[in-house]
Amino acid sequence: MLVAAPVAADKECSYRTPYSSCPLCGGHQAALSGTVSCRNHALWHPPLPDSLTWLQCASCGHIFTDSYYTDAGLSEVFLRANDNQLAGGDWERVRYAWAGTVNRIVQALPSRKDIFHEKLGWLDVGCGNGGLLFTASEFGFDAVGIDTRKEAVQRIQDMGYAALQADILTIQARKPFHVISMADVLEHVAFPLQVLARAHDLLHEQGVLFISCPNVECITWRQQDEAKTNPYCTELEHHHNFSRATLMTALRACRFVPVGYSVSPRYIACMEVLAVKSPE
Ligand SMILES: [Zn+2]
């Protein structure tokens, strides 16, 4: 039986700050979903907190951690990186994994025929290992990636592609982007609505937003939960576990209209969503 509890927890340290309310709807009541150890996570190391507590909002159903990383916490987390967060490896496999997604994004663009005549702008938020950035460039876009990990950005720059160590909340752009992608990003940020609102500001009126993240309602998630092998429960970089419904609600709250849904060919239990700006 779930016990109703106030969202603000008493667990506070210099590396994490408790949420004062649900980061999606602002609700102040949440049920405890569970507390798990993350000591076996590849990136965990002292002095990072060694457990994650997950809550579920009583108002909107969103599942989130009881706290989020401070700047000091993020600096500590970013001291290490998973191999898939940095450029390198089997590029043909990476290219093939992204081609279908890029093609779906192109098909959703009202101006898709223009990519054969001009380079439309593409902002890849959280460009990581560069797989999406390289593939978008191959498809004819003027693509630039941003990432908070310095090493990830450096490796991409060294390969001759455009990348910046930057945050979407503070970057400036000379003109709006026709595509903004957030591949496996939104579950990492502390306040997703801020990021979506900023994406709305940066996106062209005829542009497309792409998001991929885990879906707690898919069959794989449920099976992994039942087997107690769900890797996302101990993912120390994540703050959110979206469902299709809560992601759609977040998009609509930030004046987006979802226009496409698919499953990710890269990570288990992940969904891929396309959205466009809602008419003002
Ligand atoms: Zn909520």
Side-chain angles (χ1 to χ4, degrees):
M1 180 175 141
L2 296 175
V3 179
V7 167
D10 57 3
K11 188 177 76 176
E12 187 166 10
C13 69
S14 58
Y15 297 103
R16 294 187 74 103
T17 300
Y19 280 107
S20 59
S21 62
C22 169
L24 282 200
C25 77
H28 288 280
Q29 292 292 317
L32 180 66
S33 251
T35 298
V36 294
S37 169
C38 47
R39 277 180 170 264
N40 292 328
H41 189 284
L43 302 187
W44 183 83
H45 59 275
L48 289 172
D50 63 358
S51 67
L52 290 174
T53 295
W54 291 93
L55 304 174
Q56 184 165 28
C57 175
S59 298
C60 74
H62 182 53
I63 299 170
F64 58 103
T65 50
D66 67 343
S67 59
Y68 56 93
Y69 286 110
T70 61
D71 288 344
L74 285 177
S75 295
E76 194 66 42
V77 170
F78 291 159
L79 290 177
R80 298 181 183 181
N82 294 314
D83 288 344
N84 62 2
Q85 292 171 318
L86 301 172
D90 184 348
W91 287 123
E92 185 59 16
R93 183 187 61 77
V94 170
R95 177 174 174 259
Y96 188 78
W98 278 113
T101 298
V102 173
N103 196 41
R104 279 197 298 281
I105 294 169
V106 169
Q107 295 309 312
L109 271 176
S111 53
R112 58 186 169 276
K113 291 180 181 173
D114 291 344
I115 66 171
F116 297 103
H117 308 291
E118 59 178 306
K119 285 186 173 293
L120 303 182
W122 182 313
L123 175 65
D124 185 29
V125 181
C127 52
N129 66 16
L132 177 53
L133 181 68
F134 305 151
T135 311
S137 298
E138 180 180 342
F139 271 67
F141 289 90
D142 181 15
V144 58
I146 59 174
D147 203 287
T148 45
R149 275 190 163 87
K150 184 179 179 181
E151 187 178 0
V153 169
Q154 187 65 55
R155 286 200 192 189
I156 292 170
Q157 290 174 340
D158 289 347
M159 295 173 73
Y161 289 82
L164 299 168
Q165 186 183 13
D167 188 322
I168 186 176
L169 296 178
T170 54
I171 61 164
Q172 300 294 320
R174 287 196 302 274
K175 57 182 181 180
F177 297 96
H178 279 79
V179 177
I180 296 179
S181 52
M182 299 184 193
D184 317 307
V185 165
L186 214 54
E187 65 273 31
H188 290 247
V189 303
F191 297 98
L193 296 187
Q194 288 182 2
V195 171
L196 290 175
R198 181 65 180 143
H200 192 280
D201 291 343
L202 293 168
L203 189 64
H204 191 280
E205 290 304 316
Q206 299 294 309
V208 170
L209 174 69
F210 167 79
I211 293 171
S212 66
C213 64
N215 177 0
V216 301
E217 290 177 340
C218 76
I219 188 64
T220 313
W221 184 285
R222 294 181 181 192
Q223 177 263 322
Q224 297 263 328
D225 259 3
E226 288 174 9
K228 300 194 183 307
T229 55
N230 191 333
Y232 297 118
C233 295
T234 55
E235 180 46 69
L236 62 82
E237 285 198 47
H238 289 188
H239 295 109
H240 310 277
N241 287 331
F242 289 95
S243 66
R244 184 181 190 277
T246 56
L247 180 57
M248 300 295 162
T249 299
L251 285 167
R252 292 189 180 100
C254 295
R255 297 179 293 151
F256 283 106
V257 179
V259 294
Y261 182 92
S262 189
V263 301
S264 166
R266 296 170 306 283
Y267 294 117
I268 65 164
C270 280
M271 56 183 160
E272 295 190 341
V273 171
L274 301 178
V276 298
K277 285 187 168 186
S278 58
E280 297 294 338

